[in-house]
Amino acid sequence: MLPPPSLPGLDTRHSRLLSVPGRGADAGAHRTWHFLDSGAHLDEHGASPAGTILAVHGNPTWSYLWRAAVAESARRAAEGAPAWRVIAVDQLEMGYSERTGMHRPLAQRVQDLAGFTAALGLEGPVVTLGHDWGGVVSLGWAIDHAAELAGVSLLNTAVHHPEGVPIPAPLRVAGARGMLAASTVHTTAFLDTTLALASPRLDDAVRDAYRAPYADAARRAGIGGFVADIPIDARHESFAELERIAEGVAALTVPALMLWGPRDPIFSDRYLDDLATRLPHADVHRFEGAGHLVAEDRPYADAVFAWLDERVAVGVDAVAPSAAASDTDFRPIWRGLEARADDDDSAVIDMARGGAAEPLRVSWRQLNERVRQLASGLAAMGVRPGDRVSLLVPPGPTLSAIVYACLRLGAVVVVADAGLGVKGLTRAVRGAWPDVIIGEVPGLTAARVLGWPGLRISTARLPRVSAAALGVATCLADVAALGRGAPLPPAPAADDPAAILFTSGSTGPAKGVTYTHGQLAALRDVLAAHFEVTAETGLVTGFAPFALLGPALGTRSATPDMDVSAPRTLTARAVAAAVRASDARMVFLSPAAVLNVVATADALTADDRAALARVEAFLSTGAPVGQGLLEAIGTLMPNASAHTPYGMTECLLVTDVTLDQIRDGAAATDRGVLVGAPIGANRVLISALDDDGRATGEPSSEPGLLGEVLVSAPHLKDRYDRLWLTDRAALRETPDASAGAGGEGRWHRTGDIGHLDARGRLWIEGRLPHVLVTSEGPLAPVGPEQDIERVDRVRRAAIVGFGPRGLQQTVAVVESLPPASRAALADPELTAAVRASTATPIVAVLVVAALPTDIRHNSKIDRTRLTAWAERTLAGERPVAP
C-alpha cells in the first residue's frame, strides 16, 4: 500500500515497497515494508552517494516525518553537492507498512530493521537518524552494525529512564490500565495529542497527512503496541533490550549529532543530558522554543546535512581526538588563593549584610581552607569532574568559596544570575541540566516550584521541614564537615571544562558559554597585566561576572551593599563604603549601576568623597559607556583613570579605552562608540556588510569598513553549550575556519557591528540584527542615535526601521526631557529638533517614558521589541508603553 498522492511536501516518486524475510519471532514470514528512498533522484542526476541516511520514525508518526531530509537529498543531488541517499522506513504495523497483528517488542523491532536493511542490500557507510522510539530502534541497529556505521543522529528520544522517576505524564496516562486501547487504538486521542505538540501548530493539511495511514482502529494497533512496549521497570520484557542499547551507545565512537526540542513533555532535557553523558563527543543543538516534533518545528534537515559535510568523513569511523590545550606554564585560576593560604589579611569583604553594622570579612587562610573542605566534601558525596553545579548564590564570600571549590574539584560551574529574570533563569538552568544546585532559600524555592533539575544543597542549615519541602539533601556545613581532613581530588587540566556563563539574553534567549580552565586562567592573566593588578590593589565590584576574580588575582575584593540582580540599586554611598572597607584602588561597575551612583552622589559625605578620591582605576562594561557618564563618575573619583573595556560573555575583555582617549576621539569624524584598541594579544577584524545588511565580507583590518566585529583572544570561549548550530554561525568564515585565510588562533563573530579607524581603534555602531536596510543600503543605528541624543530635550534615543527590508524608513524613539507621561508621537517642536540633528532622514519621532532594556544590565536597548512596538503604533494601534 502506497501513500495517496498530493500529501504536502511528499514526492510520491520516493515511495517504494519491499518484501522482507522476517527475523526473530517473525522468521519464516515475508513482510511488506513501505519506505521513502531518494536513491532514484541521485541516479537520475548521476550523483554517487557518499553514504546512506537510515531514518527511523517513532510513535505515532511515519516516514512522512523525514520528507524534508528526502527532499534535501534530492535537491543536493540536482545541484551537484555531496549527496547522501536517504532511506526513511515505515516500521511494521505503522505508516503504510504491513499490518501483521504480531506483538513486536523492542528487540523484535531492532531485528525487523536489520532484516529490512539486509533485504535492501544496504551497505556502509550508514548514518542512522531517529526520533522518539525510532531513535532507540535506530541505535539498536547502529550498535549491531559497527562495520557499516559512519555516524548516529537523533531527534528527541531516550535510551534510559532513571530509577524512581515516573515516566512522562502523557505516556503514563496513555498506558494506564483501561486507557491504553481507548486512547491509542479505538480513538485518535494519542495521535492528536502528539500532533498538538508541534510548535507552532501544524497546518491542517500536514496534520491530515500524518493521520492518513491511521484511518481506523485496525490500522492504529501499532500505536497502542508501541505505548504498551514502554519498559517502565526491570520486569518489562523490553527492559533488557533497552539496557543493552543504552550500554552499547556509550561505547560508540562514531560522530554523533543530537537536535533537540526542549519544550517536550515526553523526552525532556533529562534524556538529552543522559545521551550527552553517554556520547560526550556528540554535537548537540537545542532549538529553543521547539517541542517534541522538532522535525516540524525547525529546519532539522539543513542541520543534518551540514553536520554530515563537516563531521562525517567517509571511511573514518572514529571521532578524531581534539587538540588538547597545553599545560605548559598553565597556572590554575585558584593558584592565587593557594599562594596566600597562610595569610590572615582579608580576601573577601561582604557589605550586603542586611543592615549589619560591620561587613563580613573572610581571610585568605579561611577562604582557602573552606575551598579545600568543600572540594573534598563534594568529591566524597559523589560529585565528579565534569559534573555541572548550578550556583544560585549572590556574590560574596560564600559564592567565592563554592566557585573555587568546584573549579578545584573539576566540576563545571554553571553561572546564570538572577538578572536573567525567572523565565530566563529557568530556561538557562534547564538547558544546562545541572547535576547539583547550590543555593539560598529564594533560589532553592524557585528550583522546587519550577522543577529545575539537580541534587539540592542549601548554603545555610535549614529546619528539617523546610529542607524536605524544598527537596534539599544537605547543606554546605555538612559538605565541609565531610571534606575536613579528606584528600583533595586530582586537579583538572588546562583543557578541561571549567564554567558555563550565560549571556544577558538582551538579543534573544540567553546562551550558555563554556570556558575551559586554561581560558579562565588567560582571562585572569590579561586582566592582571593590562590593569596592573597586584596583591595591594583591592577591587570593589558591583558587576556579578567580575565579583569572583579577586581571589584569582590574589587581591582582596568587596561587594557593595546592593541587589546585584538590579544594578540600579547601587548608590554612591554604598560604593564609598565598600572602597573604605577594602581600601580598594579599583572599582568595577555596570553602566546601569554608574547611572544610579551618579544620581545619588549628593548624599556623599566628606569621608565618602575622601575614600573615592583614593581610587586609581575605574572600569565600566557590559554596554557602551559614553563620555558624559564617564566624566560624571570622574567627578566622584577624581584621581582614577576611567576605563570602559569592550567585551562580551564569550570574550570578557577585547579592547579598552580611557576617558582621555574618548575625548581625543571626539574630534574624529567616525560614527559610533569608541571602545579602543585590542588588549595584549587580542585581535579584531571586520567582515563588511553587503547591500542586504549581511556580514559577508572577507575579514579585514581595513579602516572605515562597516561590518560585523570578529575577535580573537587567548581567553575566548571554548564553545556554546549545546548550541552546535550557533557555534557554527559564530565561526562562519573566520580566519581559522576559512580555507587559505592563514589565520591563527580561535575567532568569534560577535554580532556587533562597527569599524576600525586608521589607528586600529574599534568603533561600535550597533548589533547586526538591528541594522536597517534602506533604499540607500544598510544603516547602523548608533550614529544617528548619537546625533539625536545631542538634542537638549532628548535623554536617550533608539533608531528602528519601519517597512519592508530594503525599503525601510527610519523611526526615532526617544526618552524625552522632561519624561513623557505616556507613549505618543512627539510634539512638532521636538520632532523638528530631532530631524534637524542628523543627516539621516527620520519619518517619525515617538516619545516614551522609558526605552525597554535587558534585565541584567538595565542598559542594552531591546531594539527588536521596540521595532515591533513602533510598527504597531505607526500602523494605527493605540500607543502603549513598549
Side-chain angles (χ1 to χ4, degrees):
M1 182 177 181
L2 293 172
S6 303
L7 295 182
L10 183 65
D11 187 338
T12 54
R13 292 176 297 172
H14 294 141
S15 278
R16 291 181 59 189
L17 297 174
L18 181 69
S19 179
V20 176
R23 291 193 175 188
D26 212 13
H30 278 72
R31 305 300 189 186
T32 300
W33 288 64
H34 169 258
F35 62 104
L36 303 178
D37 183 358
S38 68
H41 266 79
L42 270 62
D43 292 342
E44 179 183 329
H45 294 285
S48 178
T52 301
I53 300 173
L54 177 62
V56 188
H57 68 86
N59 188 33
T61 57
W62 56 288
S63 56
Y64 185 72
L65 180 79
W66 306 117
R67 64 194 183 281
V70 177
E72 179 64 10
S73 170
R75 185 194 68 79
R76 289 167 66 94
E79 294 183 357
W84 282 77
R85 179 187 183 189
V86 175
I87 301 290
V89 301
D90 283 357
Q91 298 195 63
L92 292 174
E93 326 300 332
M94 305 291 287
Y96 288 93
S97 286
E98 183 177 342
R99 300 304 192 266
T100 71
M102 178 180 164
H103 175 56
R104 295 185 185 278
L106 178 59
Q108 181 62 46
R109 289 202 172 276
V110 173
Q111 292 187 65
D112 289 343
L113 185 60
F116 168 83
T117 57
L120 190 66
L122 186 64
E123 298 178 349
V126 175
V127 171
T128 58
L129 172 61
H131 171 249
D132 190 88
W133 287 103
V136 184
V137 174
S138 71
L139 288 171
W141 186 94
I143 63 178
D144 292 340
H145 294 78
E148 296 89 1
L149 191 67
V152 295
S153 51
L154 299 165
L155 278 61
N156 293 44
T157 188
V159 295
H160 173 74
H161 185 77
E163 186 178 352
V165 176
I167 65 171
L171 298 180
R172 194 164 61 248
V173 171
R177 184 183 297 273
M179 286 292 293
L180 177 60
S183 64
T184 61
V185 180
H186 298 324
T187 72
T188 60
F190 187 81
L191 176 59
D192 294 340
T193 299
T194 301
L195 296 178
L197 295 177
S199 178
R201 184 180 183 275
L202 290 178
D203 178 86
D204 287 344
V206 172
R207 293 163 69 89
D208 289 343
Y210 274 112
R211 290 191 181 102
Y214 304 114
D216 55 50
R219 294 195 61 79
R220 292 192 292 268
I223 297 177
F226 254 120
V227 174
D229 195 43
I230 297 170
I232 298 172
D233 54 38
R235 295 171 296 180
H236 194 284
E237 63 178 320
S238 288
F239 184 85
E241 177 68 359
L242 186 63
E243 288 288 290
R244 181 186 79 89
I245 293 172
E247 292 176 4
V249 167
L252 292 176
T253 59
V254 293
L257 173 69
M258 287 179 267
L259 304 175
W260 214 262
R263 293 181 59 187
D264 187 346
I266 301 170
F267 297 113
S268 67
D269 280 325
R270 178 192 307 280
Y271 302 105
L272 172 61
D273 188 65
D274 174 73
L275 283 164
T277 300
R278 297 173 191 275
L279 295 167
H281 62 277
D283 296 305
V284 179
H285 189 87
R286 295 172 73 255
F287 290 103
E288 197 62 57
H292 178 67
L293 289 178
V294 64
E296 295 294 340
D297 295 352
R298 298 293 187 272
Y300 81 94
D302 294 346
V304 169
F305 280 92
W307 173 76
L308 289 170
D309 289 343
E310 295 181 15
R311 292 286 198 259
V312 181
V314 175
V316 179
D317 63 357
V319 178
S322 59
S326 172
D327 280 353
T328 305
D329 300 326
F330 169 57
R331 195 167 63 91
I333 196 166
W334 61 82
R335 188 61 54 79
L337 174 60
E338 290 182 338
R340 301 188 67 172
D342 297 326
D343 194 334
D344 290 318
D345 286 346
S346 294
V348 180
I349 303 170
D350 186 7
M351 306 297 293
R353 298 269 288 149
E358 293 294 328
L360 173 65
R361 295 175 179 269
V362 176
S363 71
W364 292 98
R365 186 192 301 273
Q366 291 170 322
L367 181 59
N368 182 67
E369 184 59 25
R370 190 68 164 177
V371 166
R372 293 177 64 88
Q373 291 172 356
L374 291 176
S376 299
L378 288 169
M381 285 181 58
V383 179
R384 296 290 178 257
D387 283 355
R388 298 180 173 202
V389 182
S390 179
L391 304 180
L392 305 176
V393 183
T398 300
L399 180 60
S400 295
I402 300 168
V403 166
Y404 285 91
C406 290
L407 292 174
R408 177 59 185 82
L409 166 63
V412 179
V413 176
V414 179
V415 181
D417 64 69
L420 294 176
V422 173
K423 184 178 180 181
L425 191 57
T426 297
R427 183 187 294 119
V429 173
R430 285 182 174 170
W433 202 264
D435 301 283
V436 180
I437 290 179
I438 302 177
E440 295 187 341
V441 169
L444 295 171
T445 301
R448 182 68 165 184
V449 172
L450 299 172
W452 297 347
L455 174 76
R456 293 167 196 157
I457 301 174
S458 59
T459 55
R461 191 180 305 279
L462 301 178
R464 184 174 300 175
V465 173
S466 299
L470 295 174
V472 170
T474 188
C475 67
L476 285 182
D478 289 342
V479 174
L482 190 62
R484 197 168 291 125
L488 277 170
D495 62 326
D496 287 337
I500 300 172
L501 311 180
F502 277 84
T503 61
S504 67
S506 60
T507 55
K511 300 182 287 291
V513 179
T514 301
Y515 278 87
T516 66
H517 283 272
Q519 289 154 4
L520 287 184
L523 171 62
R524 172 205 59 205
D525 294 343
V526 72
L527 182 67
H530 184 71
F531 294 105
E532 300 179 342
V533 180
T534 69
E536 298 308 315
T537 298
L539 174 65
V540 168
T541 176
F543 188 47
F546 284 92
L548 300 167
L549 284 173
L553 293 165
T555 194
R556 62 191 172 279
S557 59
T559 304
D561 187 2
M562 65 178 296
D563 178 355
V564 292
S565 67
R568 287 176 177 167
T569 62
L570 183 61
T571 65
R573 292 214 66 190
V575 175
V579 169
R580 190 163 46 243
S582 60
D583 193 25
R585 297 294 183 266
M586 180 179 290
V587 174
F588 204 132
L589 306 177
S590 72
V594 175
L595 280 171
N596 203 55
V597 167
V598 172
T600 57
D602 289 345
L604 290 171
T605 66
D607 286 346
D608 292 336
R609 292 185 181 276
L612 293 176
R614 294 196 295 272
V615 176
E616 297 173 356
F618 167 77
L619 290 74
S620 185
T621 191
V625 183
Q627 178 178 336
L629 194 55
L630 286 179
E631 288 177 337
I633 200 72
T635 63
L636 305 182
M637 304 178 197
N639 298 311
S641 173
H643 297 254
T644 174
Y646 162 73
M648 62 287 304
T649 308
E650 294 87 344
C651 191
L652 287 166
L653 286 174
V654 178
T655 68
D656 181 38
V657 66
T658 66
L659 176 57
D660 289 341
Q661 291 167 341
I662 291 175
R663 286 171 175 151
D664 176 63
T669 58
D670 299 81
R671 309 199 87 185
V673 176
L674 175 62
V675 296
I679 296 170
N682 300 353
R683 296 180 62 198
V684 173
L685 295 174
I686 302 295
S687 174
L689 301 183
D690 61 19
D691 291 341
D692 193 43
R694 298 174 303 155
T696 58
E698 184 76 15
S700 170
S701 58
E702 179 184 343
L705 201 65
L706 175 64
E708 185 177 11
V709 178
L710 280 62
V711 301
S712 175
H715 55 281
L716 178 65
K717 69 167 175 66
D718 186 53
R719 66 186 186 280
Y720 288 115
D721 183 47
R722 298 179 179 178
L723 290 170
W724 177 70
L725 292 172
T726 308
D727 257 337
R728 288 183 73 250
L731 293 171
R732 178 183 59 84
E733 296 176 0
T734 54
D736 58 343
S738 302
E744 295 179 357
R746 297 171 303 111
W747 287 83
H748 169 70
R749 285 183 174 268
T750 65
D752 289 334
I753 55 170
H755 71 275
L756 295 167
D757 64 19
R759 293 158 63 178
R761 301 177 303 181
L762 177 63
W763 298 72
I764 296 296
E765 300 184 61
R767 292 282 297 170
L768 190 58
H770 304 151
V771 171
L772 283 68
V773 183
T774 72
S775 59
E776 303 297 320
L779 173 67
V782 170
E785 289 169 355
Q786 290 175 316
D787 295 338
I788 294 168
E789 286 171 353
R790 296 188 183 98
V791 174
D792 289 341
R793 287 183 56 193
V794 173
R795 177 179 179 271
R796 193 161 53 159
I799 288 294
V800 297
F802 177 73
R805 190 175 182 86
L807 296 172
Q808 285 183 306
Q809 305 295 305
T810 307
V811 177
V813 186
V814 303
E815 293 178 5
S816 60
L817 293 172
S821 59
R822 61 184 180 85
L825 284 168
D827 60 60
E829 292 79 12
L830 179 55
T831 299
V834 167
R835 286 175 170 161
S837 69
T838 179
T840 300
I842 305 293
V843 298
V845 181
L846 301 170
V847 294
V848 294
L851 292 167
T853 61
D854 67 298
I855 297 173
R856 178 188 285 176
H857 300 291
N858 296 154
S859 56
K860 292 182 178 179
I861 297 171
D862 188 342
R863 289 184 177 86
T864 301
R865 174 178 163 189
L866 199 60
T867 298
W869 171 83
E871 288 181 343
R872 293 195 304 270
T873 300
L874 294 174
E877 288 190 16
R878 180 175 176 271
V880 295

